[in-house]
C-alpha cells in the first residue's frame, strides 16, 4: 500500500506533472490532486473517451485490448491507463521548465 | 277427470304395447314421433312426459285418493266364456307409489306412473334409447335421467324377469320400503343438512353407431347403397314434413359474476444495452471458462452461482423499444447467456459499452451510496496488482516524456525536435569543431543517495539497461549503512530496487549464469547475495556467520565461471578479495562455502637498480588485496593488486605461490583490468596518481600515464575501441585514447559539483560513460566525436602496435642513457605481430 502511495507521490512531484486522477469504474474520482471542478470534468470526459477507444480497439479485434491512451495537445499531454475497474489519468506538460 | 285421462293413457299404452310403435299420441297432440322399431321406448318416455307436463298438481293429487287398491283397468275384455282376460298392466297403480314417485321425479308424476313403469321397463329392456329429440317439455332430460335412476334402483331385483306379475309384487314391497323411507324423512329431518356426494358415473353409451365402410365390390354393397338411398330420401322428406318437428333445447344460462383482482403497481424499468462484437466475445470467453471450471470443480459451485444469475438475467430481459432488430436479438441472446452464467462480468462490460445516458443515470444513482463503500472500493482498486503495474508504467511514461530526447541519444537515435517546443535554442557552435567531448545526459540520483559515495558499479548481464550501484564509504571514518540500488535506463528518477545493508557496500557484481543474482561485498568483509526479482531487503544468502568470512572489507567481487574438474560444465563461483590478504572463492551450492584461493604474502619489493632489502620487519605476513581480475581467456589465471603496489599473477591451482609479480606502482593498486581486446595486456591504477599499462610477460609497465596529482580510483576499458579507456581520479573524469596520445587524455571533464569521482564504467549498448561520485550521483555522459574505433580484427593489433612503439622508444631511451645494457629488457613481444609494425632495432 505504501509503495503505491510513494509512487503516486513521485509521479505527482515529477517535472511537468499537473495532476493525477484515479477514477473508479462508475466514473467517480476517488483520488485526485486537482481541484474539484477540473477533476469532475476530466473524469467524466476521459471516461467516455477511454470507453470509446477501448470499444474501437476491441471491435477491430476482440482478442485485443486497450492498454494505454495518450492524448497530446498543444498545452499538455493526458495519459490514461484504462482498466475494467478503474482509470488512471495523469496530466503532464513535458516542456515545462 | 284425471282417472279418465290416466285410463286413456293406459289405453294408449296398451295399444302401444302391442307393437304399433308408429302411432301418434293423440293425447299429447303436440308430439308426433316416428321412430324405428328400436326406439319404442322413447315414445313411452315422451308420452309419459307429456302426460306429466300437462298434468297439474291437482290432478296428481287427485290420484291420491285412489290409494289403497290397485286401479282396475277400465277396459275389460271378456272372452267367450266370460273370463276376464283383460290383459293386466305390468304393474298396478298405487297412489302411494305415485306420491313417492313424485318425490323422485322433478315434475308431476301423477298419471304417468303406469306409463312410467312401462317406459322404464321397456327402456330397461331395450337398453338403448336415443336421448335426442324427445320433444318433451323442458324437464325431459332430467326427468329421464331421474327415471333411469329410479328404474335402476327399483328394477334392481327383477331385472332378469320378463314383464310379468312378479315385478308388481316386488314393486309392492319396494313401494313399502319407499314409504317407510319417506315417512322417516317427513318426521323432522327436513332441517338436517344432508351431504350429497355427486360422483361422476361411467360414461354411458346411449347409442353407438359406428360408421361402416363397405367396399363397392362386396355383396353387401347393394344393400348398403339401398339403405343410404333410403336415408337420403328420408332426409329429403324431412323438410316440411308434418311428421317431423324441430325443437330446440336450452341449456342453463348461469348468471355471470364478474370478479376483479387488483395487483400492486407493476413497475417498469427500461434498460438499454449495447452489445458489441467484443462484448459477445467476452461473454463466450466467460462461458468457456465457466464450463471449464464447472467440469473441474464440484457441481455445488455451479449451483451456487445460479441463484445469483437468474436475478441478473431478469434485469437484463427487459423489453427495449429502442433497440433495432439485430440489436434486440443480440440482447436477447446475451441475456439468455447471462442466465446460464453469473453475469456480473458481462453486466460490467456491457455497462462500459452502454450509452452515456445510462452511464450518467448510474452515476447519479451510485453517487448516493455511503462513503464507506466508496472507500472500500478505493482501497480495493489501489491495492490491486493491476493498479500497481499501471502506476509503474505510467511513471515510466512520464519519465519518457521528460527524458525522451536524452534517452534517444543514449540509444543513438536521431532526435526530432518537438514541433510544439517553443523554447529558443541559442545557436551552438558546431559540435564537430569541438573534438571529442562529453554530453551530459542525465544523472541517476534520488533523495536516498544524497551524500553517499558510489563505490561500485555493475551492469546486469542479461539486461543491459539495468545497473547495480553500491553505496559505501571508502575510508574507515564516516561509515554509514550501505545501500545497493538497481537503476534502469527507463526511469532515471527512482531506482527499481533498493536494498539496505548494515555496512557500507564496497563491491557488487551481477551473476552471468543467473542474471537476477547480485552479489554484494560489505565493509566488514561480509558477502551477501540478493535476488533482484524480489524487493525485500533480505539477501537470499549471506556469509556473515560463515567461518571463512573475510575479516576486512571486501574490495572486489566477481562471479567467475570456472571449469570444473571434469571439464564439461562450468560452475559459477564468487571470488572475493579483501584487505586481510585472502582471495576467497565462494560457492553457493550448499550454503556458502569458501575456499581460499590465495593468500597474498608480502614480498620484498624489487626495484630495478636497488639492492634488495632483506630483513624487513613485516607487520603482517599478508598484503592487503584491493583488486583482482581474471583473465578473460583463461579462467585459471588472475591478477591481484595489493596495498603495497605489487601486482601478482596467480593461478587457481596454486594457492601458495605467485606465478609472477609486477612491480611498478608505488601506492596501493586500486583497480586492475585486463584489456578486452588484447589478451596479455592489462591496465592498473593506483593511489600514486598513475595509470599503468602492462603486458603480462613484462614485469615492468609498458606505459605510464600521469595526468593529475590525485589518486586514480577507477579505470575502465572501452568495449568498442581497444585503445580507449576511461579513468576517474578525485577531481575529474578522463578519457584516454592511446591512438591519439599516450601522454594526455583526450577528454578531461571536471564536474562542477566538486564531488570526488569514484567509479566509472562504460555502457555496453551505448557509447556512454557512467560516472559515480561521492555525493551519490551517477552521471551518464555520452561520448561524442570520438575517433572511430578500429575494425574488429585490428583492435588488438592497434593496441599492440602502440605498445611496441612505446617499447621501442623506451629502449631507445634506455640505450641512449645506458649504452652498456642494451639487452636488458626483451623488447620483442612474441605475439602474432603483423609484418608492418616497427621492429626494434637493437
Amino acid at each position: 500500500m505504501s509503495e503505491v502511495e510513494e509512487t503516486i507521490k513521485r509521479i505527482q512531484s515529477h517535472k511537468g506533472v499537473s495532476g493525477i486522477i484515479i477514477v473508479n469504474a462508475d466514473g467517480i474520482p476517488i483520488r485526485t490532486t486537482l481541484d474539484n471542478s477540473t477533476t469532475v470534468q476530466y473524469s467524466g470526459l476521459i471516461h467516455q473517451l477511454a470507453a470509446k477507444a477501448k470499444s474501437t480497439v476491441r471491435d477491430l479485434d476482440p482478442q485485443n485490448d486497450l492498454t494505454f491512451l495518450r492524448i497530446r495537445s498543444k498545452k499538455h499531454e493526458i495519459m490514461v491507463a484504462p482498466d475494467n475497474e478503474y482509470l488512471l489519468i495523469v496530466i503532464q506538460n513535458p516542456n515545462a521548465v | 277427470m284425471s282417472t279418465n285421462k290416466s285410463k286413456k293413457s293406459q289405453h294408449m299404452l296398451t295399444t302401444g304395447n302391442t307393437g304399433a310403435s308408429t302411432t301418434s299420441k293423440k293425447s299429447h297432440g303436440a308430439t308426433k314421433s316416428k321412430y324405428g322399431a328400436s326406439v319404442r321406448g322413447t315414445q313411452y318416455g315422451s308420452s309419459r312426459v307429456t302426460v306429466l307436463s300437462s298434468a297439474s298438481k291437482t290432478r296428481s293429487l287427485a290420484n291420491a285418493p285412489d290409494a289403497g287398491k290397485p286401479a282396475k283397468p277400465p277396459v275389460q275384455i271378456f272372452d267367450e266364456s266370460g273370463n276376464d282376460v283383460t290383459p293386466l298392466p305390468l304393474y298396478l297403480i298405487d297412489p302411494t307409489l305415485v306420491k313417492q314417485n313424485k318425490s323422485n321425479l322433478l315434475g308431476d308424476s301423477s298419471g304417468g306412473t303406469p306409463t312410467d313403469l312401462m317406459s322404464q321397463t321397456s327402456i330397461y329392456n331395450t337398453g338403448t334409447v336415443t336421448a335426442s329429440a324427445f320433444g318433451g317439455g323442458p324437464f325431459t332430460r332430467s326427468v329421464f335421467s331421474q327415471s333411469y335412476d329410479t328404474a335402476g334402483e327399483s328394477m334392481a331385483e327383477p331385472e332378469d324377469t320378463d314383464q310379468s306379475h312378479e315385478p308388481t309384487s316386488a314393486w309392492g314391497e319396494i313401494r313399502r320400503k319407499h314409504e317407510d323411507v319417506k315417512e322417516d324423512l317427513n318426521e323432522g329431518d327436513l332441517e338436517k343438512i344432508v351431504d350429497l356426494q355427486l360422483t361422476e358415473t361411467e360414461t354411458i353409451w346411449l347409442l353407438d353407431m359406428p360408421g361402416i365402410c363397405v367396399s363397392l365390390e362386396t355383396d353387401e354393397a347393394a344393400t348398403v347403397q339401398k339403405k343410404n338411398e333410403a336415408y337420403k330420401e328420408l332426409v329429403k322428406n324431412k323438410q316440411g314434413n308434418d311428421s317431423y318437428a324441430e325443437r330446440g333445447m336450452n341449456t342453463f344460462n348461469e348468471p355471470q359474476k364478474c370478479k376483479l383482482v387488483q395487483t400492486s403497481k407493476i413497475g417498469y424499468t427500461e434498460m438499454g444495452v449495447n452489445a458489441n462484437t467484443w462484448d459477445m466475445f467476452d461473454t463466450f470467453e466467460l462461458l468457456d471458462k465457466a464450463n471449464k471450471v464447472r467440469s473441474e470443480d464440484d457441481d455445488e459451485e455451479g449451483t451456487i452461482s445460479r441463484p445469483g444469475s437468474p436475478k441478473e438475467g431478469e434485469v437484463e430481459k427487459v423489453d427495449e423499444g429502442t433497440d433495432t432488430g439485430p440489436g434486440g436479438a443480440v440482447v436477447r441472446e446475451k441475456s439468455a447467456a447471462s442466465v446460464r452464467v453469473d453475469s456480473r462480468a458481462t453486466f460490467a462490460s456491457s455497462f462500459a459499452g452502454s450509452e452515456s445516458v445510462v452511464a450518467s443515470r448510474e452515476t447519479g444513482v451510485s453517487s448516493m451510496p455511503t462513503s464507506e463503500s466508496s472507500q472500500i472500493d478505493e482501497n480495493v482498486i489501489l491495492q490491486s496488482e493491476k493498479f500497481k503495474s499501471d502506476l509503474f508504467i505510467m511513471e515510466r511514461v512520464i519519465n519518457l516524456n521528460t527524458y525522451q530526447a536524452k534517452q534517444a541519444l543514449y540509444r543513438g537515435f536521431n532526435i526530432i525536435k518537438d514541433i510544439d517546443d517553443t523554447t529558443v535554442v541559442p545557436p551552438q557552435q558546431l559540435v564537430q569543431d569541438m573534438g571529442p567531448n562529453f554530453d551530459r545526459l542525465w544523472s541517476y540520483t534520488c533523495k536516498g543517495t544524497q551524500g553517499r559515495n558510489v563505490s561500485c558499479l555493475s551492469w546486469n548481464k542479461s539486461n543491459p539497461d539495468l545497473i547495480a550501484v553500491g553505496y559505501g564509504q571508502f575510508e574507515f571514518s564516516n561509515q554509514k549503512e550501505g545501500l545497493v540500488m538497481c537503476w534502469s535506463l527507463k526511469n532515471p528518477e527512482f531506482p527499481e530496487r533498493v536494498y539496505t545493508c548494515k555496512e557500507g557496500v564496497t563491491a557488487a557484481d551481477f551473476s552471468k549464469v543467473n542474471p537476477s543474482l547480485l552479489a554484494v561485498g560489505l565493509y566488514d568483509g561480509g558477502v551477501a547475495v540478493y535476488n533482484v526479482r524480489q524487493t525485500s531487503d533480505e539477501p537470499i544468502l549471506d556469509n556473515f556467520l560463515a567461518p571463512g568470512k573475510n575479516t576486512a572489507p571486501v574490495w572486489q567481487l566477481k562471479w567467475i565461471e570456472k571449469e570444473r574438474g571434469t571439464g564439461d560444465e562450468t560452475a559459477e563461483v564468487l571470488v572475493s578479495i579483501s584487505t586481510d590478504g585472502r582471495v576467497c572463492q565462494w560457492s553457493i551450492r550448499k550454503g556458502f562455502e569458501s575456499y581460499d584461493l590465495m593468500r597474498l604474502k608480502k614480498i620484498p619489493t624489487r626495484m630495478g637498480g636497488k639492492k634488495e632489502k632483506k630483513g624487513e620487519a613485516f607487520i603482517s605476513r599478508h598484503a592487503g588485496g584491493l583488486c583482482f581480475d581474471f583473465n578473460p581467456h583463461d579462467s585459471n589465471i588472475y591478477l591481484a593488486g595489493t596495498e603495497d603496489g605489487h601486482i601478482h599473477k596467480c593461478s587457481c591451482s596454486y594457492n601458495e605461490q605467485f606465478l609472477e609479480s609486477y612491480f611498478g606502482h608505488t601506492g596501493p593498486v586500486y583497480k586492475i583490468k585486463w584489456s578486452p581486446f588484447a589478451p596479455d595486456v592489462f591496465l592498473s591504477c593506483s593511489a600514486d596518481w598513475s595509470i599503468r599499462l602492462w603486458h603480462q610477460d613484462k614485469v615492468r609497465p609498458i606505459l605510464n600515464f600521469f595526468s593529475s596529482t590525485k589518486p586514480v580510483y577507477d579505470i575502465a576499458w572501452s568495449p568498442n575501441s581497444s585503445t580507449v579507456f576511461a579513468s576517474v581520479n578525485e577531481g575529474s573524469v578522463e578519457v584516454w585514447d592511446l591512438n591519439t596520445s599516450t601522454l594526455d587524455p583526450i577528454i578531461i571533464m571536471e564536474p562542477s559539483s566538486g564531488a570526488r569521482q569514484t567509479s566509472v564504467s562504460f555502457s555496453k549498448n551505448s557509447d556512454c560513460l557512467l560516472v559515480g561520485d561521492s555525493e551519490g550521483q551517477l552521471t551518464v555522459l555520452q561520448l561524442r566525436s570520438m575517433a572511430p574505433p578500429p575494425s574488429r580484427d585490428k583492435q588488438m593489433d592497434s593496441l599492440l602496435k602502440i605498445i611496441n612503439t612505446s617499447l621501442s622508444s623506451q629502449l631507445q631511451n634506455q640505450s641512449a642513457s645506458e649504452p652498456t645494457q642494451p639487452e636488458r629488457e626483451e623488447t620483442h613481444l612474441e605475439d602474432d605481430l603483423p609484418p608492418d609494425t616497427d621492429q626494434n632495432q637493437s
Side-chain angles (χ1 to χ4, degrees):
Chain A
M1 184 63 191
S2 64
E3 200 187 303
V4 167
E5 295 289 343
E6 268 184 40
T7 315
I8 292 177
K9 253 186 251 162
R10 275 208 308 277
I11 292 178
Q12 171 60 25
S13 54
H14 194 91
K15 184 182 98 151
V17 172
S18 341
I20 174 169
I21 304 169
I22 305 174
V23 181
N24 73 354
D26 299 327
I28 299 174
I30 55 176
R31 189 69 81 86
T32 176
T33 58
L34 299 167
D35 58 279
N36 203 20
S37 55
T38 320
T39 304
V40 165
Q41 235 185 343
Y42 264 103
S43 61
L45 295 167
I46 301 279
H47 185 84
Q48 293 174 29
L49 184 62
K52 188 66 179 175
K54 181 181 172 118
S55 180
T56 307
V57 167
R58 298 211 69 198
D59 269 341
L60 294 169
D61 176 13
Q63 289 178 331
N64 205 353
D65 199 3
L66 180 69
T67 50
F68 207 82
L69 182 64
R70 287 168 93 166
I71 305 153
R72 191 131 201 181
S73 71
K74 280 194 194 158
K75 292 197 183 163
H76 46 237
E77 177 167 0
I78 304 169
M79 288 162 280
V80 183
D83 186 77
N84 279 333
E85 309 284 321
Y86 59 84
L87 211 64
L88 173 64
I89 305 170
V90 173
I91 303 128
Q92 184 191 23
N93 182 3
N95 302 321
V97 176
Chain B
M1 293 283 286
S2 58
T3 19
N4 285 341
K5 267 225 163 102
S6 59
K7 281 179 189 163
K8 214 206 248 171
S9 61
Q10 279 175 4
H11 170 71
M12 296 306 291
L13 180 69
T14 51
T15 47
N17 208 7
T18 49
S21 59
T22 54
T23 51
S24 54
K25 299 288 176 204
K26 298 260 169 25
S27 65
H28 185 74
T31 44
K32 294 169 189 170
S33 49
K34 249 195 224 169
Y35 291 104
S38 62
V39 295
R40 217 197 306 178
T42 32
Q43 281 180 358
Y44 304 124
S46 58
S47 63
R48 171 175 64 81
V49 168
T50 55
V51 167
L52 285 170
S53 58
S54 51
S56 62
K57 277 214 169 128
T58 53
R59 254 182 278 130
S60 63
L61 287 169
N63 273 335
D66 288 342
K69 51 178 173 161
K72 263 179 100 179
V75 177
Q76 290 191 332
I77 299 169
F78 296 99
D79 65 0
E80 287 159 358
S81 54
N83 293 337
D84 189 357
V85 290
T86 33
L88 290 167
L90 276 177
Y91 80 104
L92 299 169
I93 299 166
D94 192 348
T96 54
L97 177 58
V98 167
K99 252 192 256 167
Q100 281 153 28
N101 278 340
K102 188 175 63 153
S103 70
N104 286 335
L105 301 169
L106 271 181
D108 308 307
S109 59
S110 57
T113 37
T115 49
D116 178 281
L117 185 59
M118 286 306 295
S119 65
Q120 284 172 0
T121 52
S122 58
I123 287 166
Y124 195 81
N125 283 336
T126 50
T128 58
V129 178
T130 43
S132 62
F134 258 30
F139 303 107
T140 307
R141 190 153 51 118
S142 47
V143 166
F144 175 66
S145 57
Q146 284 280 347
S147 65
Y148 185 78
D149 281 340
T150 53
E153 51 181 51
S154 47
M155 296 293 284
E157 285 174 26
E159 62 180 39
D160 47 352
T161 59
D162 291 336
Q163 301 165 357
S164 60
H165 299 289
E166 280 186 25
T168 52
S169 56
W171 271 119
E173 289 166 14
I174 289 165
R175 253 179 255 144
R176 268 178 229 117
K177 272 190 199 154
H178 278 284
E179 267 183 58
D180 292 340
V181 170
K182 188 156 188 219
E183 273 181 26
D184 280 344
L185 276 173
N186 275 335
E187 266 170 15
D189 284 309
L190 284 173
E191 302 286 326
K192 194 161 73 168
I193 294 171
V194 180
D195 286 320
L196 296 171
Q197 196 169 21
L198 304 172
T199 51
E200 197 185 323
T201 62
E202 291 174 2
T203 310
I204 300 161
W205 287 101
L206 302 173
L207 173 67
D208 190 10
M209 283 175 65
I212 303 168
C213 285
V214 173
S215 160
L216 279 173
E217 294 162 7
T218 61
D219 305 327
E220 299 167 330
T223 44
V224 169
Q225 262 182 337
K226 243 195 279 177
K227 273 194 200 159
N228 285 348
E229 295 288 338
Y231 186 70
K232 272 192 211 149
E233 287 288 327
L234 183 70
V235 168
K236 248 193 283 180
N237 292 335
K238 201 170 161 193
Q239 309 275 9
N241 197 334
D242 286 342
S243 315
Y244 292 91
E246 279 216 9
R247 223 16 111 108
M249 276 282 283
N250 217 1
T251 60
F252 286 123
N253 278 334
E254 313 278 348
Q256 291 205 332
K257 187 172 166 182
C258 226
K259 188 151 186 162
L260 297 171
V261 171
Q262 186 166 22
T263 66
S264 55
K265 185 171 187 315
I266 299 169
Y268 292 98
T269 33
E270 272 196 27
M271 180 104 45
V273 169
N274 255 351
N276 305 312
T277 326
W278 51 270
D279 205 2
M280 293 189 271
F281 179 80
D282 276 344
T283 318
F284 281 120
E285 287 277 294
L286 273 172
L287 269 179
D288 278 344
K289 227 185 287 179
N291 281 337
K292 272 189 214 143
V293 165
R294 217 172 281 150
S295 64
E296 289 165 7
D297 300 347
D298 301 334
D299 286 345
E300 283 172 345
E301 272 207 4
T303 51
I304 286 166
S305 69
R306 267 186 218 119
S309 45
K311 215 174 10 143
E312 307 228 25
E314 279 164 29
V315 168
E316 296 203 59
K317 274 191 192 142
V318 174
D319 280 347
E320 302 156 19
T322 54
D323 256 357
T324 57
V330 164
V331 166
R332 250 161 257 128
E333 179 206 5
K334 202 168 79 64
S335 49
S338 69
V339 168
R340 270 178 282 147
V341 172
D342 188 359
S343 59
R344 206 169 296 273
T346 53
F347 189 59
S349 61
S350 70
F351 172 75
S354 63
E355 316 263 340
S356 61
V357 173
V358 179
S360 58
R361 189 171 72 85
E362 282 286 357
T363 32
V365 167
S366 54
S367 60
M368 297 305 202
T370 63
S371 59
E372 214 183 272
S373 64
S374 63
Q375 261 185 4
I376 294 168
D377 241 3
E378 181 184 326
N379 282 339
V380 165
I381 290 176
L382 288 178
Q383 281 166 1
S384 66
E385 282 302 314
K386 186 95 194 342
F387 186 73
K388 282 188 198 139
S389 74
D390 273 347
L391 261 184
F392 181 72
I393 293 172
M394 179 66 82
E395 197 185 350
R396 297 231 167 149
V397 169
I398 292 169
N399 276 314
L400 183 68
N401 265 341
T402 332
Y403 290 105
Q404 195 265 339
K406 312 269 172 67
Q407 284 174 341
L409 274 180
Y410 183 91
R411 292 265 194 244
F413 299 143
N414 289 327
I415 307 179
I416 300 167
K417 195 159 154 351
D418 190 4
I419 52 172
D420 291 321
D421 197 352
T422 52
T423 59
V424 175
V425 179
Q428 290 171 338
Q429 51 187 153
L430 288 176
V431 173
Q432 286 92 313
D433 298 343
M434 283 166 60
N437 60 352
F438 282 142
D439 182 23
R440 186 180 176 283
L441 294 181
W442 70 82
S443 77
Y444 290 116
T445 182
C446 77
K447 211 167 48 149
T449 64
Q450 305 280 352
R452 287 184 194 276
N453 178 33
V454 174
S455 59
C456 47
L457 301 171
S458 171
W459 289 98
N460 189 313
K461 305 294 185 285
S462 74
N463 178 5
D465 288 337
L466 197 62
I467 186 167
V469 181
Y471 299 86
Q473 309 301 115
F474 283 150
E475 57 277 347
F476 181 71
S477 58
N478 203 16
Q479 278 291 316
K480 301 186 227 200
E481 65 171 14
L483 272 184
V484 180
M485 287 190 178
C486 294
W487 294 85
S488 159
L489 165 73
K490 296 183 181 126
N491 187 356
E493 301 256 319
F494 198 74
E496 305 301 313
R497 297 276 186 272
V498 178
Y499 302 111
T500 42
C501 317
K502 50 184 173 60
E503 296 284 334
V505 175
T506 48
D509 194 28
F510 266 110
S511 157
K512 213 176 311 192
V513 170
N514 306 308
S516 54
L517 289 183
L518 176 66
V520 171
L522 302 178
Y523 198 83
D524 66 348
V527 175
V529 179
Y530 288 88
N531 185 347
V532 295
R533 290 217 180 106
Q534 305 159 359
T535 55
S536 70
D537 253 353
E538 291 296 310
I540 56 173
L541 263 182
D542 67 65
N543 74 339
F544 300 143
L545 303 173
K549 183 176 113 160
N550 287 318
T551 51
V554 176
W555 291 110
Q556 184 125 20
L557 269 180
K558 252 198 161 62
W559 290 91
I560 303 293
E561 276 180 81
K562 294 186 76 73
E563 279 150 17
R564 307 198 51 213
T566 53
D568 283 345
E569 29 175 84
T570 56
E572 227 192 6
V573 293
L574 194 59
V575 180
S576 72
I577 191 169
S578 91
T579 325
D580 64 356
R582 280 170 36 235
V583 181
C584 295
Q585 170 184 303
W586 303 86
S587 73
I588 56 172
R589 303 200 129 249
K590 330 162 225 173
F592 226 171
E593 296 171 353
S594 84
Y595 165 67
D596 274 359
L597 282 180
M598 174 62 67
R599 270 169 235 279
L600 300 168
K601 288 193 281 261
K602 280 195 197 256
I603 55 171
T605 56
R606 252 190 306 151
M607 300 301 281
K610 284 192 182 165
K611 280 199 290 188
E612 288 180 7
K613 276 189 185 171
K614 287 190 186 163
E616 228 178 67
F618 298 131
I619 297 172
S620 89
R621 288 199 59 223
H622 294 291
L626 290 178
C627 54
F628 70 94
D629 199 9
F630 272 77
N631 192 326
H633 297 274
D634 184 1
S635 65
N636 251 343
I637 311 285
Y638 62 94
L639 295 165
T642 66
E643 273 180 321
D644 310 335
H646 303 154
I647 299 172
H648 305 290
K649 181 161 86 170
C650 322
S651 162
C652 295
S653 339
Y654 309 105
N655 63 351
E656 292 291 330
Q657 284 278 10
F658 304 135
L659 294 179
E660 189 80 60
S661 297
Y662 304 91
F663 306 99
H665 279 293
T666 52
V669 181
Y670 281 141
K671 276 282 163 28
I672 299 183
K673 290 275 163 75
W674 286 97
S675 163
F677 294 100
D680 303 315
V681 179
F682 61 92
L683 200 66
S684 69
C685 71
S686 98
D688 63 358
W689 312 339
S690 69
I691 306 166
R692 297 176 200 260
L693 182 73
W694 311 72
H695 188 278
Q696 75 168 332
D697 294 338
K698 305 202 66 56
V699 178
R700 299 248 166 237
I702 312 284
L703 279 171
N704 303 311
F705 310 103
F706 296 91
S707 67
S708 64
T709 55
K710 306 234 172 68
V712 184
Y713 283 116
D714 202 355
I715 45 171
W717 284 100
S718 160
N720 305 322
S721 173
S722 66
T723 54
V724 175
F725 65 89
S727 71
V728 282
N729 58 36
E730 235 176 71
S732 60
V733 182
E734 297 165 358
V735 176
W736 300 73
D737 186 355
L738 297 175
N739 260 335
T740 317
S741 153
T742 58
L743 295 175
D744 286 316
I746 51 168
I747 310 174
I748 307 179
M749 188 192 91
E750 276 162 45
S752 48
S753 66
R756 292 174 294 138
Q757 313 299 308
T758 51
S759 35
V760 71
S761 174
F762 274 91
S763 146
K764 299 243 177 349
N765 56 351
S766 154
D767 46 356
C768 288
L769 199 64
L770 268 78
V771 179
D773 68 8
S774 62
E775 288 303 315
Q777 273 209 5
L778 184 65
T779 315
V780 179
L781 304 161
Q782 194 193 25
L783 298 167
R784 283 193 299 201
S785 312
M786 296 287 291
S791 60
R792 193 167 296 264
D793 44 346
K794 295 262 189 200
Q795 296 267 21
M796 189 175 75
D797 306 332
S798 54
L799 184 61
L800 290 172
K801 186 169 126 180
I802 293 160
I803 291 172
N804 279 336
T805 31
S806 60
L807 279 176
S808 60
S809 60
Q810 269 183 16
L811 256 186
Q812 276 171 359
N813 288 342
Q814 272 183 340
S815 54
S817 60
E818 294 191 28
T820 55
Q821 296 166 9
E823 69 279 353
R824 188 68 181 275
E825 309 278 347
E826 206 178 301
T827 51
H828 282 282
L829 302 169
E830 270 121 34
D831 308 290
D832 43 340
L833 292 171
D836 60 345
T837 53
D838 295 338
Q839 292 296 324
N840 186 24
Q841 321 285 335
S842 73

